[in-house]
Amino acid sequence: MYRIEKDSMGQFEVPEEAYYGVQTCRALRNFPVSGRKENPGFIRAYLIVKKAAAFTNMELGVLDRERGEAIVQAADEILACLEAEYSSQFPVDVFQAGAGTSFNMNTNEVLANRALEILGRKRGDYAYLSPNDHVNMSQSTNDTFPTASHIAIIFAADKLAGVLYGLAGAFRLKGEEFAGIPKSGRTHLMDAVPVTLGAEFNAYASALQRAAGRIKERREDLLEIAVGGTATGTGANTPPGYRKAVVAKISELCSLPFRPASDSFEALQSRAQLAAFSGALRELGIELIRIANDLRLLNAGPTTGISEIELPQVQPGSSIMPGKYNPVMAECLDMIGFQIIGNDTTVALASQAGQLELNVMTPVITFNILMSVSLLTNYLPVFQKSCIEGIRVHEDRCRAYLELNPILVTFLTPKIGYLKAAELAKEALEKKVPVAEVAVMEGVLSKEEADELLKIENLLKKD
C-alpha cells in the first residue's frame, strides 16, 4: 500500500507504513550505494538538533505551540525507541546527496509525519505540518549536518576515552608486574643495552595515554558548532537571537558546553576541526599498530622466535597444523589500525574538497570518523581482556638472552675504551659466551671487577 506525497519535483509513491516521505524515497532510488545506514549515534544527535530548534523557534515566537510541541514529542518518542521501533525509518545510505540533504530531509519527514499522527492527522498532510516549513524552520542542512556530526562524535569520543584509559591501565599493571624482569633491549631489531620488560610495557601505557590526550584536545574543538548559520553562514531565515538560543538549548539537552561558531562562515566552509579529530584517531591507530607488532615479535616462537612473552591462546591457529596458536588478537588490532588510517585518508581528501561557502563532503567525513571510533570502542576492551591481561613472561628466556648479549660490553667502555670493548664484543659473539667471561679471559678485568661492572641489577639503574 502506498500514499502519494508531493515535493517541489512532483508526486511520488511512499510506502503507507513509512514515517519517512517523498524526499527520502527519492534518495533511496538515487543512492543505492553501500547498504550502510547512518550511525545510531548520529541519528540521535540530529534528533537533538531538531528538538532544540523546535524549542527555540517556539520561544522566539516563530513556531506555534501546537506544531512545535508535537515536533518535540515526536523527537522524544523516536529518541526513546530508536533501535526498537524507528531504526528502519532512517534508510538513507551514508553515501548520499552532498552536504547530507537527503538525511536531513529524512529526519524532517519522520518527525513531521509522527508529529502529524500525534495531532490526529494523517501522514503526508504537509499542508498543516511541513518537513521544510516547520521541522526545518530556522535551519539548513548546511549548518545542522555538521552540528549533529560534532555532537555525535563528541559522545562517541567520550566513550572511547574510557576504553583507552582502561587499556593504558592494563598495560601499566603489566608494567608493574614485569618491573623486576631484566631483558635485552633491541634497537634496529638488534641487541642493545638492557631494559626491563616492565619498562617496555609502561612505555606502551604512556603512548596510549598521550594518544588519548590528543583525542581529548581535539574533541574540545568540536564544542564549537555551526547551527544558526543556515545556508551560507549568514543566518538567513532565522529570527533575532536564534543562534545563541539554539546553541544554549543544545547544550542543555546534551549537558555539554557547546558554543556558537566564532565565524559562522568558516564553520560551513571548513571541516578542519573534524579533520584534526580524525588525525588524532590516525595517530592512535599508528601507536596501536606499533604496539601490536611489538607484542607479536616478543611472542614469536615458541621455539624459533624471541618468545620472551606468551600471548593468551584464544583459538586454534591453523586448519592444517595441529597445536599451532597465533597472536590473533594483535593481528585483529593491526587490521583495525590499518582501517583507521584509511578512514583518515578519506577524511583528509573530503576535508580539502570544500569549495567556497560549503564543504559538501561532510557525510563521508562523519561516517568514517564514527566508524573509526566504533571499531576502537568495540574492540579495545576485548583486546585488553583477551590479550593484555593474560600475557605471561618467559623470564628464563629473557635472562638467557641478556646474559649472552655482547652489547653489555657498552658498560665497560668508560674503563677500557670503545675500540677495546668492540673487540671483546666480537669475541664474545664468536665464542657464544658472556662478555664478562671474555673480559676475564683476556685479562682486561679481574673476575671481581667483571662481576661488579656487569652485574645485571647495576646495569638497570637510572637517575
Side-chain angles (χ1 to χ4, degrees):
M1 297 290 291
Y2 293 91
R3 65 178 185 268
I4 302 299
E5 288 192 9
K6 183 180 179 181
D7 62 9
S8 60
M9 294 185 68
Q11 294 184 340
F12 207 99
E13 289 185 340
V14 178
E16 185 61 43
E17 72 279 5
Y19 281 103
Y20 57 78
V22 53
Q23 293 202 42
T24 302
C25 289
R26 292 193 191 280
L28 293 176
R29 183 181 65 182
N30 292 334
F31 309 112
V33 183
S34 69
R36 296 183 177 186
K37 314 308 178 190
E38 292 291 358
N39 183 292
F42 180 70
I43 299 173
R44 290 183 177 280
Y46 226 117
L47 290 166
I48 289 170
V49 172
K50 296 295 175 181
K51 179 180 175 180
F55 269 126
T56 305
N57 285 321
M58 286 190 287
E59 290 170 2
L60 296 178
V62 294
L63 179 63
D64 64 276
R65 288 282 167 184
E66 182 181 45
R67 291 177 177 84
E69 288 174 1
I71 293 168
V72 169
Q73 182 179 334
D76 284 337
E77 286 184 9
I78 298 168
L79 283 166
C81 303
L82 178 59
E83 284 84 357
E85 297 180 27
Y86 289 95
S87 61
S88 64
Q89 299 304 314
F90 298 92
V92 175
D93 201 283
V94 294
F95 298 94
Q96 57 180 276
T101 300
S102 295
F103 183 75
N104 181 34
M105 287 309 303
N106 182 180
T107 307
N108 289 335
E109 289 173 342
V110 171
L111 286 171
N113 282 312
R114 179 61 194 128
L116 283 166
E117 281 189 338
I118 290 168
L119 295 172
R121 294 175 177 270
K122 292 182 179 181
R123 299 178 199 178
D125 186 5
Y126 297 154
Y128 186 78
L129 195 158
S130 163
N132 293 87
D133 297 333
H134 301 108
V135 182
N136 199 60
M137 181 180 286
S138 306
Q139 304 154 65
S140 166
T141 300
N142 300 353
D143 65 338
T144 57
F145 201 103
T147 296
S149 298
H150 283 210
I151 295 169
I153 290 167
I154 285 173
F155 280 131
D158 290 346
K159 291 180 183 178
L160 175 59
V163 167
L164 263 181
Y165 284 117
L167 180 59
F171 273 107
R172 192 72 71 189
L173 287 174
K174 283 296 175 182
E176 294 171 5
E177 179 184 342
F178 300 152
I181 299 174
K183 53 160 287 181
S184 285
R186 295 180 180 88
T187 60
H188 303 262
L189 290 179
M190 304 297 286
D191 296 343
V193 294
V195 297
T196 65
L197 187 61
E200 287 184 329
F201 274 74
N202 278 323
Y204 299 146
S206 296
L208 293 176
Q209 289 172 329
R210 189 180 299 276
R214 285 192 289 263
I215 290 171
K216 182 179 180 182
E217 289 173 4
R218 292 164 191 181
R219 173 256 195 213
E220 294 301 303
D221 288 340
L222 301 183
L223 290 168
E224 187 174 304
I225 51 178
V227 68
T230 64
T232 61
T234 65
N237 290 351
T238 61
Y242 177 81
R243 179 181 290 125
K244 183 177 179 180
V246 75
V247 172
K249 181 58 69 173
I250 291 171
S251 298
E252 177 189 330
L253 294 175
C254 295
S255 299
L256 287 168
F258 289 105
R259 56 187 183 273
S262 57
D263 185 324
S264 61
F265 298 95
E266 181 212 14
L268 270 59
Q269 293 173 7
S270 174
R271 295 282 77 86
Q273 292 161 314
L274 291 177
F277 184 87
S278 179
L281 296 177
R282 180 180 185 273
E283 292 164 11
L284 170 61
I286 289 169
E287 290 286 52
L288 290 171
I289 293 166
R290 177 181 65 82
I291 292 167
N293 286 341
D294 274 8
L295 296 177
R296 293 168 65 199
L297 277 173
L298 294 173
N299 174 79
T303 60
T304 60
I306 295 176
S307 197
E308 290 179 344
I309 65 171
E310 182 179 323
L311 301 181
Q313 299 173 355
V314 297
Q315 65 182 52
S318 173
S319 61
I320 190 172
M321 293 176 281
K324 190 175 190 296
Y325 300 96
N326 300 329
V328 293
M329 304 304 290
E331 291 167 349
C332 182
L333 186 58
D334 272 339
M335 287 187 269
I336 290 170
F338 303 155
Q339 184 66 55
I340 289 167
I341 293 170
N343 288 348
D344 179 65
T345 300
T346 298
V347 170
L349 291 171
S351 295
Q352 62 80 44
Q355 291 132 359
L356 301 177
E357 273 60 65
L358 184 65
N359 187 317
V360 303
M361 305 302 174
T362 308
V364 78
I365 292 172
T366 304
F367 167 67
N368 277 275
I369 291 175
L370 289 174
M371 184 209 298
S372 292
V373 175
S374 179
L375 291 173
L376 292 164
T377 304
N378 290 344
Y379 185 68
L380 291 185
V382 181
F383 180 71
Q384 175 183 329
K385 182 175 180 59
S386 297
C387 185
I388 303 307
E389 292 177 2
I391 291 175
R392 297 192 304 166
V393 58
H394 295 158
E395 190 169 355
D396 54 344
R397 186 168 295 216
C398 290
R399 190 85 184 191
Y401 285 153
L402 181 54
E403 288 175 351
L404 285 175
N405 182 351
I407 306 304
L408 293 181
V409 77
T410 302
F411 296 97
L412 302 182
T413 57
K415 185 175 182 65
I416 66 175
Y418 185 96
L419 292 178
K420 184 62 179 176
E423 291 177 10
L424 294 182
K426 183 177 180 180
E427 186 175 349
L429 186 60
E430 289 174 350
K431 293 181 177 179
K432 293 184 172 54
V433 296
V435 165
E437 186 176 326
V438 173
V440 173
M441 287 169 48
E442 294 294 327
V444 175
L445 299 173
S446 67
K447 186 176 187 309
E448 292 74 17
E449 287 176 318
D451 289 344
E452 180 62 23
L453 288 171
L454 296 174
K455 187 177 181 180
I456 298 300
E457 288 68 24
N458 291 341
L459 304 183
L460 293 169
K461 285 183 179 178
K462 63 179 182 178
D463 293 336

